[in-house]
Amino acid sequence: MITKGEALARIASALDYPLPTEFRPLHDALGAVLAADIRSDVDMPPFEKSSVDGWAISAEGHEPGRRYGILERIMAGTMPTRRLLAGQTSKVMTGAPLPEGANAVVMVEDGEEEAESVILRAKIRPGQNVCHRGEDLAAGQIVLAAGTRIDAVVLGVLAMVGADPVSVFAVPSVCVIPTGDELCLPEGPPPEGAQIRETNGVMLRAQVRGVSPILRAFSPGIARDNPESLRNFLDVGLDHDVLILSGGVSMGDLDLVGGALKERGLEVAIEKVAIKPGKPLLFGRVPRPHRPPAFVFGLPGNPVSSFVTFELFVFPFLRRLLGEPFEARPEEPATYAGTKSIARIPREQHLPCAIEVDATGALRANPLEWHGSADLRGLVAADGLMVVPSAGPALEPGMPVSVIRLPGHRPARARATHRGGGH
Ligand code: AMP
Ligand code: MG
């Protein structure tokens, strides 16, 4: 069995080729990662621009109370047609170009307009309420660096510089396949006999979307615990860039996923990791002719194990495949705020906890009542996972411990009272 760190290193090094790139339209690029630096093809603003609705004048000839003849009215999107002479103004709207001869704008509220003239009582300095050509960005300038993840603001900037479509690292296709004879569909009739409802499919697909809004996982249904069903589902799954299977990877008589994958040429990188929950974890590549390999994760079937191993291993891998650096979810220092000691076991434990921030900003990890890898409901109130290493003395109340924050859960916050208190 290998450690979590070694497993992460093997996952990171499985991606040993340059990532392919593709062009995507901006309306379908949120969450992708820029594959190249982006340069502006325009100055912004592209001309001397008024930042207010007001009166364009030459600041030098101005005295408060002076009367100006109105030459024209310039709307955003139209060019001025006339040059200002002494004692003249043009009315400009926000975003409109200044006329020649103007270098400042008096706000419209500060003018007393009558017929074709206006009295401007305000003081004004040159440049007031004017944005200069190219002051935000200059044509040719790099405005976004390769490697930037596209968020709402980045999308707006890409639109501003006309980078539509935009070159990004190719978005991988992801497939999620739960396996097990005992599983029935959540939308179907209630389970009978020894059946249970399938929970990992919707959860894992949501976790995939949690990596980036650009990712969607496809799911062809539940594979059954026999070689033929697994073969059929692998035909579909291995056509995707990343295949995430759940169940069938431990030591049971019908844990056939590993065998079925090896039949397809799986180059095994990981088979077992010394963590709890989640010891059985399969990871490797299946070579494909004329294409990059398919990457396969076989996650343990217990729902909490599936959830946790996704966050620990699949999450950083998918981010890397999207073009971001490989970074495991950070472990942050905290204090163990439970009341009972936690014994070490030969595996690194990840226990659901509620994270609290104390008055000094330090984190406190409160254990939650939880019954083990099948108890998904016990995870509902968790903000994070408390990481208890395999070696050393038992973890006692008040001792330092590290925590991994869980995504999509309540952010850690100051709490007046403790929650939970298991262990
Ligand atoms: P396995 O890893 O296939 O041995 O499954 C371990 C445990 O998790 C068994 O109790 C399974 O019934 C359960 N299990 C496996 N897959 C799922 C799933 N997709 N949804 C809910 N429970 C599952
Ligand atoms: Mg199974």
Side-chain angles (χ1 to χ4, degrees):
M1 258 200 292
I2 59 173
T3 62
K4 181 172 76 180
E6 172 62 19
L8 284 166
R10 291 187 190 181
I11 291 169
S13 62
L15 219 149
D16 56 3
Y17 57 88
L19 290 174
T21 62
E22 65 186 7
F23 278 92
R24 292 186 85 89
L26 291 189
H27 67 77
D28 191 21
L30 177 67
V33 176
L34 297 179
D37 292 344
I38 302 290
R39 286 178 192 277
S40 178
D41 65 346
V42 287
D43 290 331
M44 279 305 280
F47 41 76
E48 297 291 298
K49 178 187 90 172
S50 176
S51 63
V52 295
D53 295 323
W55 304 101
I57 59 167
S58 162
E60 283 74 20
H62 180 68
E63 290 153 20
R66 182 165 185 187
R67 179 184 292 273
Y68 290 82
I70 302 171
L71 262 190
E72 62 176 335
R73 289 159 208 276
I74 308 164
M75 307 298 146
T78 60
M79 290 301 287
T81 61
R82 315 223 0 226
R83 180 180 215 292
L84 298 187
L85 301 173
Q88 292 181 328
T89 181
S90 285
K91 195 171 191 183
V92 285
M93 307 304 142
T94 305
L98 288 199
E100 268 186 71
N103 65 358
V105 181
V106 177
M107 296 227 287
V108 78
E109 300 86 315
D110 294 336
E112 291 156 34
E113 188 176 353
E114 42 188 57
E116 281 314 295
S117 69
V118 61
I119 299 169
L120 302 178
R121 298 204 186 277
K123 282 190 180 170
I124 188 110
R125 49 179 174 72
Q128 195 160 324
N129 298 323
V130 174
C131 302
H132 297 297
R133 175 176 184 159
E135 78 176 21
D136 296 341
L137 46 100
Q141 179 192 337
I142 292 179
V143 290
L144 295 162
T148 302
R149 185 202 267 235
I150 299 177
D151 63 13
V153 170
V154 171
L155 276 177
V157 173
L158 290 166
M160 187 181 280
V161 302
D164 189 4
V166 64
S167 169
V168 297
F169 292 108
V171 175
S173 71
V174 182
C175 184
V176 167
I177 304 179
T179 73
D181 282 343
E182 75 282 28
L183 304 176
C184 64
L185 292 172
E187 66 266 33
E192 285 178 3
Q195 299 262 300
I196 58 167
R197 289 199 176 95
E198 197 283 297
T199 56
N200 298 351
V202 282
M203 181 175 68
L204 288 166
R205 289 171 76 187
Q207 288 177 279
V208 168
R209 290 184 65 176
V211 175
S212 162
I214 199 84
L215 285 180
R216 286 280 183 292
F218 170 77
S219 185
I222 303 169
R224 300 303 175 185
D225 293 321
N226 64 74
E228 199 198 342
S229 173
L230 285 171
R231 264 183 226 125
N232 290 337
F233 275 91
L234 289 186
D235 283 342
V236 178
L238 292 174
D239 200 32
H240 293 263
D241 301 314
V242 181
L243 169 58
I244 303 168
L245 295 140
S246 94
V249 289
S250 41
M251 302 301 287
D253 288 353
L254 287 182
D255 288 332
L256 307 172
V257 165
L261 283 167
K262 284 171 194 163
E263 229 176 64
R264 295 302 175 93
L266 178 76
E267 300 164 359
V268 180
I270 299 172
E271 268 179 311
K272 279 192 177 73
V273 185
I275 55 169
K276 184 184 176 174
K279 174 169 74 168
L281 175 87
L282 198 61
F283 171 71
R285 317 197 297 191
V286 174
R288 300 183 295 186
H290 317 301
R291 297 165 77 178
F295 293 93
V296 184
F297 287 89
L299 308 183
N302 262 316
V304 177
S305 310
S306 259
F307 178 87
V308 169
T309 49
F310 182 98
E311 294 304 327
L312 295 181
F313 303 111
V314 188
F315 176 87
F317 179 75
L318 287 178
R319 284 196 40 176
R320 173 73 188 90
L321 208 52
L322 276 170
E324 292 188 274
F326 187 91
E327 278 164 19
R329 283 201 173 284
E331 293 185 15
E332 298 171 64
T335 301
Y336 172 48
T339 52
K340 296 176 184 163
S341 73
I342 300 178
R344 311 274 177 158
I345 59 170
R347 291 185 275 156
E348 190 179 66
Q349 298 177 79
H350 295 81
L351 305 170
C353 66
I355 302 173
E356 216 187 324
V357 187
D358 74 11
T360 68
L363 303 185
R364 295 167 56 77
N366 297 288
L368 296 170
E369 188 184 332
W370 179 58
H371 304 125
S373 326
D375 180 16
L376 194 57
R377 201 210 61 86
L379 221 65
V380 171
D383 310 304
L385 300 169
M386 207 162 64
V387 184
V388 183
S390 54
L395 184 70
E396 303 294 347
M399 279 173 54
V401 68
S402 48
V403 290
I404 296 175
R405 293 183 202 238
L406 289 177
H409 281 228
R410 287 157 283 291
R413 60 179 178 267
R415 288 195 185 89
T417 51
H418 289 190
R419 277 197 286 158
H423 295 282

